[in-house]
């Protein structure tokens, strides 16, 4: 453990001068002075990165001297408590001081061991964070027993950044002194309310064992499990977490749905219940509204146990509200199936599509065939407005993951080595030219449409938000894994043609992860 000492710096400096004067006079001889010089009196460092300081240290005109060194920094800006961080003539320090607008004090003590005299050099040290906007990649090296997070900045995912990708590896374990328990499945940026509207910026993370939040600046854990709920569940087996319309959060934990309203709270409310009083069985395959639209359902979910669709009418349902069972709607032939009577199906994937349509890919348990069910609002009444067969799409039986687009009628699906765009028009989807994984030995594990973190946070608006990335909703994040090497990668693949969903060559490949289990975007 680092040695802690307490010191009043003004008194300390005065003592140094007196000590030197006294020893000089008693010795009745000239003692060569030790000088410490640097080109900067004010230093800047980045939290979690190495700070390297190389002062020029000399004892008079001597080429070498019997000197020893001690580097220290205070624990809090302007605080008196110091900790040891180095014992060499040069400092290499992985900065653990939290970012602050006020400076820390960096102290170097050089001891002339021949004379028993101490010399001091001090710098103001400002610590900032290098994070801001980018990707937060969750990965595991032991099949999901534990996980860690790596932050990445790159031009394709960081507004205004033009350098080579910059990685801050294993930032969670560095900030918290240990790994995340379980397999991460959700990483969501959220701005909540704790005393003042939208004053609490955080990242909310879910695993198969726990749910917790971290500070987006330091990545230190702030709240865990029970702290995040007014009425906490007994288990914290998270299936998904999503931002939702109205700056809300929605999470599914052990089959129950919990909501949090961002402009009024920072905790999840009691679990939602069906208006009809049925036993709720939610799953992680949700279509969740992120922006205000004509859709009058904040979210929809297919209940596999009861064989029907359930929806939350609006964000107010998150406040211990009642969800509803979607029922058959009538009117001019616009509704083509009864969402309240759809038994013997398995939820495969879900998301929000073009014009706020809620899209649910369900597999018939009898035939094994997959159908995409559309739920839309007509005259503010949500109902079943479309069915699309996807069984004629190339290699669809080999699909391992799916992604839906909010800006065109396209669904992407991934096989082990390809990404296909599927055009959702008519009664049967048509697949386009695939993007091929260029590297052998890897397999695709996940695909998602890139969305900036401001999207879905009502503290921001697309009308006045100044930092909308040119590739927002116009590129894919494709995760791969090589089981032989244990390396995970992220391919950033641009969508070259909106409308058809055609894909170009990868614009960037991010490397050096373990098995990737989730990718989130962070706020600028």
């Amino acid at each position: 453990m680092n040695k802690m000492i307490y010191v009043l710096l003004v008194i300390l400096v005065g003592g140094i001068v007196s000590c030197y004067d006294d020893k000089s006079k008693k010795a009745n001889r000239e003692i060569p002075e030790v000088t410490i010089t640097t080109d900067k009196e004010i230093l800047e460092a980045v939290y979690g990165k190495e700070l390297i300081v190389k002062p020029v240290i000399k004892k008079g005109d001597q080429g070498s001297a019997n000197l020893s060194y001690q580097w220290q920094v205070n624990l809090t800006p302007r605080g008196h408590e110091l900790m040891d961080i180095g014992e060499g003539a040069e400092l290499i320090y992985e900065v653990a001081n939290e970012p602050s607008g006020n400076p820390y004090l960096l102290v170097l003590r050089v001891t002339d061991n021949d004379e028993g005299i101490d010399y001091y050099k001090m710098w103001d040290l400002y610590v900032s964070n290098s994070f801001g906007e980018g990707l937060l990649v969750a990965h595991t090296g032991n099949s999901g027993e534990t996980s860690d997070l790596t932050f990445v900045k790159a031009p394709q995912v960081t507004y205004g950044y033009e350098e080579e990708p910059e990685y801050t590896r294993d930032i969670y374990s560095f900030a918290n002194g240990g790994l995340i328990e379980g397999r991460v499945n959700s990483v969501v940026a959220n701005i909540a309310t704790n005393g003042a509207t939208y004053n609490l910026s955080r990242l909310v993370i879910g695993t198969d064992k726990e749910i917790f939040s971290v500070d987006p600046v330091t990545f230190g854990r702030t709240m865990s499990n029970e702290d995040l709920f007014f009425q906490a569940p007994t288990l914290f087996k998270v299936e998904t977490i999503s931002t939702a319309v109205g700056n809300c959060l929605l999470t599914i934990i052990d089959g129950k749905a919990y909501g949090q309203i961002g402009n009024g709270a920072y905790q999840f409310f009691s679990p939602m219940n069906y208006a009809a009083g049925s036993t709720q069985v939610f799953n992680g395959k949700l279509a969740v509204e992120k922006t205000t639209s004509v859709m009058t359902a904040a979210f929809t979910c297919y209940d596999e146990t009861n064989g029907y669709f359930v929806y939350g009418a609006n964000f107010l349902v998150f406040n211990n509200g009642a969800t509803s069972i979607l029922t058959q709607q009538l009117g001019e032939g616009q509704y083509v199936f009864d969402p309240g009577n759809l038994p013997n199906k398995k939820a495969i994937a879900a998301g929000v599509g073009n014009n706020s349509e809620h899209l649910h890919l369900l597999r018939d348990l009898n035939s094994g065939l997959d159908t995409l069910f559309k739920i839309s609002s007509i005259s503010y009444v949500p109902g079943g407005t479309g069915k699309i067969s996807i069984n004629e799409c190339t290699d669809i039986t080999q699909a391992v993951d799916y992604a839906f687009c909010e800006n065109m009628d396209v669904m992407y699906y991934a096989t082990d080595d390809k990404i296909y765009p599927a055009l959702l028009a008519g009664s049967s989807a048509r697949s386009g030219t695939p993007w091929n994984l260029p590297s052998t030995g890897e397999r695709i594990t996940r695909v998602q449409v890139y969305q900036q973190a401001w999207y879905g946070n009502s503290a921001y608006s697309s009308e006045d938000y100044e930092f909308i990335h040119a590739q927002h909703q116009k590129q894919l994040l494709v995760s791969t894994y090589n089981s032989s090497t244990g390396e995970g990668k992220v391919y950033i693949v641009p969508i070259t043609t909106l409308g058809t969903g055609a894909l170009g060559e990868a614009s960037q490949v991010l490397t050096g992860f373990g098995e990737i289990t989730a990718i989130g975007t962070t706020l600028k």
Side-chain angles (χ1 to χ4, degrees), residues 1-7 9 47 71-86 93-107 123 125-127 218:
M1 179 179 291
N2 289 326
K3 178 183 176 184
M4 306 295 183
I5 68 172
Y6 297 82
V7 57
L9 295 171
Y47 176 78
W71 293 86
Q72 297 174 310
V73 68
N74 49 359
L75 294 177
T76 58
R78 300 171 179 168
H80 295 159
E81 187 178 357
L82 303 179
M83 67 176 178
D84 294 347
I85 58 174
Y93 168 51
E94 189 173 6
V95 179
N97 303 68
E98 292 190 2
S100 173
N102 295 317
Y104 292 86
L105 187 69
L106 178 67
V107 181
W123 297 263
L125 173 63
Y126 287 87
V127 178
T218 66

Side-chain angles (χ1 to χ4, degrees), residues 244-258:
V245 64
N247 204 69
C248 300
L249 276 182
L250 177 64
T251 184
I252 306 298
I253 297 179
D254 197 30
K256 291 183 171 58
Y258 298 82

Side-chain angles (χ1 to χ4, degrees), residues 335-497:
Y335 298 99
V336 299
F337 70 93
D338 183 358
N341 183 23
L342 208 65
N344 301 317
K345 302 288 190 292
K346 177 179 176 59
I348 302 301
V352 174
N354 201 17
N355 298 317
S356 294
E357 292 179 323
H358 287 206
L359 306 176
H360 292 265
L361 184 61
L362 305 183
R363 179 164 298 156
D364 190 285
L365 296 178
N366 296 319
S367 68
L369 298 178
D370 294 345
T371 302
L372 191 68
F373 291 85
K374 289 184 177 183
I375 297 173
S376 305
S377 289
I378 299 174
S379 300
Y380 302 101
V381 180
T385 55
K387 293 193 300 182
I388 299 177
S389 171
I390 66 167
N391 297 290
E392 295 181 10
C393 291
T394 306
D395 292 338
I396 191 63
T397 58
Q398 301 174 37
V400 296
D401 201 19
Y402 308 83
F404 299 94
C405 300
E406 296 187 35
N407 54 356
M408 57 181 170
D409 293 314
V410 170
M411 175 189 77
Y412 291 99
Y413 62 96
T415 67
D416 283 346
D417 60 357
K418 294 179 175 63
I419 304 288
Y420 287 93
L423 187 61
L424 305 179
S427 60
S428 183
R430 305 189 308 274
S431 54
T433 302
W435 174 84
N436 295 288
L437 182 63
S439 178
T440 59
E442 302 172 36
R443 60 179 177 83
I444 298 172
T445 57
R446 306 178 68 260
V447 59
Q448 66 189 77
V449 176
Y450 167 71
Q451 292 180 337
Q452 286 180 279
W454 66 267
Y455 189 68
N457 278 290
S458 294
Y460 304 100
S461 167
S462 60
E463 284 77 22
D464 54 20
Y465 189 67
E466 298 180 358
F467 309 107
I468 298 177
H469 199 292
Q471 293 304 110
H472 171 65
Q473 298 196 112
K474 296 177 183 177
Q475 62 188 2
L476 301 182
L477 304 178
V478 181
S479 304
T480 70
Y481 184 61
N482 187 320
S483 58
S484 297
T485 63
E487 183 185 22
K489 298 179 182 179
V490 179
Y491 290 80
I492 302 178
V493 181
I495 299 170
T496 58
T497 307

Side-chain angles (χ1 to χ4, degrees), residues 257-317:
Y258 298 82
Q260 171 250 308
I261 301 175
N263 65 353
Y266 62 91
Q267 292 174 298
F268 291 98
F269 295 101
S270 302
M272 303 178 197
N273 296 297
Y274 293 173
S278 301
T279 302
Q280 63 268 35
V281 186
F282 294 92
N283 59 68
K285 306 299 190 295
L286 300 173
V288 185
E289 285 289 320
K290 291 189 174 183
T291 59
T292 303
S293 68
V294 297
M295 187 65 177
T296 53
F299 71 93
T300 54
C301 177
Y302 176 74
D303 183 334
E304 296 177 341
T305 301
N306 294 301
Y308 46 58
F309 281 98
V310 179
Y311 76 104
N314 54 53
F315 70 90
L316 295 177
V317 76

Side-chain angles (χ1 to χ4, degrees), residues 12-13 16 36 72 107-110 118-122:
L12 179 62
V13 173
I16 297 164
I36 309 167
Q72 297 174 310
V107 181
L108 169 60
R109 182 176 72 183
V110 179
D118 292 332
Y119 298 84
Y120 287 78
K121 176 68 177 177
M122 303 178 191

Side-chain angles (χ1 to χ4, degrees), residues 88-357:
E90 298 179 356
L91 174 67
I92 301 177
Y93 168 51
E94 189 173 6
V95 179
N97 303 68
E98 292 190 2
S100 173
N102 295 317
Y104 292 86
L105 187 69
L106 178 67
V107 181
L108 169 60
R109 182 176 72 183
V110 179
T111 299
D112 184 338
N113 295 312
D114 292 332
E115 307 294 342
I117 301 175
D118 292 332
Y119 298 84
Y120 287 78
K121 176 68 177 177
M122 303 178 191
W123 297 263
D124 281 340
L125 173 63
Y126 287 87
V127 178
S128 62
N129 79 85
S130 64
F131 307 120
E133 186 176 36
L135 296 184
L136 194 58
V137 182
H139 49 90
T140 178
N142 52 17
S143 301
E145 287 298 314
T146 56
S147 302
D148 213 332
L149 304 173
T150 290
F151 177 80
V152 186
K153 294 174 70 172
Q156 294 80 6
V157 294
T158 306
Y159 183 92
Y161 181 78
E162 298 178 354
E163 307 298 325
E164 290 297 312
E166 179 180 307
Y167 301 82
T168 305
R169 304 278 185 189
D170 303 330
I171 185 61
Y172 177 88
S173 59
F174 173 77
N176 296 279
L179 295 168
I180 300 167
E181 289 295 320
R183 185 182 188 90
V184 175
N185 56 44
S186 301
V187 178
V188 175
N190 172 246
I191 300 178
T193 293
N194 183 13
T197 301
Y198 298 144
N199 69 320
L200 184 62
S201 181
R202 60 186 181 173
L203 294 161
V204 184
I205 297 167
T207 81
D208 55 356
K209 297 180 181 178
E210 60 178 345
I211 183 172
F212 59 94
S213 60
V214 299
D215 187 308
V217 174
T218 66
F219 283 85
R221 187 184 284 229
T222 56
M223 294 183 183
S224 302
N225 297 329
E226 291 89 352
D227 300 336
L228 288 165
F229 293 83
F230 285 110
Q231 181 181 329
T234 54
L235 297 175
F236 294 96
K237 185 178 180 181
V238 177
E239 296 183 54
T240 191
I241 306 171
S242 177
T243 53
V245 64
N247 204 69
C248 300
L249 276 182
L250 177 64
T251 184
I252 306 298
I253 297 179
D254 197 30
K256 291 183 171 58
Y258 298 82
Q260 171 250 308
I261 301 175
N263 65 353
Y266 62 91
Q267 292 174 298
F268 291 98
F269 295 101
S270 302
M272 303 178 197
N273 296 297
Y274 293 173
S278 301
T279 302
Q280 63 268 35
V281 186
F282 294 92
N283 59 68
K285 306 299 190 295
L286 300 173
V288 185
E289 285 289 320
K290 291 189 174 183
T291 59
T292 303
S293 68
V294 297
M295 187 65 177
T296 53
F299 71 93
T300 54
C301 177
Y302 176 74
D303 183 334
E304 296 177 341
T305 301
N306 294 301
Y308 46 58
F309 281 98
V310 179
Y311 76 104
N314 54 53
F315 70 90
L316 295 177
V317 76
F318 289 10
N319 184 5
N320 196 21
T323 53
S324 304
I325 301 170
L326 278 169
T327 58
Q328 175 67 50
Q329 302 295 328
L330 303 175
E332 302 179 5
Q334 295 165 313
Y335 298 99
V336 299
F337 70 93
D338 183 358
N341 183 23
L342 208 65
N344 301 317
K345 302 288 190 292
K346 177 179 176 59
I348 302 301
V352 174
N354 201 17
N355 298 317
S356 294
E357 292 179 323

Side-chain angles (χ1 to χ4, degrees), residues 19-68:
C19 178
Y20 178 76
D21 289 343
D22 289 345
K23 284 185 177 289
S24 297
K25 292 173 182 177
K26 287 180 180 180
N28 198 28
R29 62 186 174 84
E30 183 177 350
I31 299 174
E33 183 179 1
V34 174
T35 59
I36 309 167
T37 58
T38 57
D39 58 350
K40 294 181 179 179
E41 297 299 317
I42 298 176
L43 303 178
E44 294 181 273
V46 176
Y47 176 78
K49 300 288 188 179
E50 284 188 347
L51 168 66
I52 300 176
V53 184
K54 297 180 178 181
V56 178
I57 303 172
K58 293 182 178 180
K59 182 179 178 180
D61 296 328
Q62 298 179 17
S64 61
N66 182 17
L67 306 175
S68 58

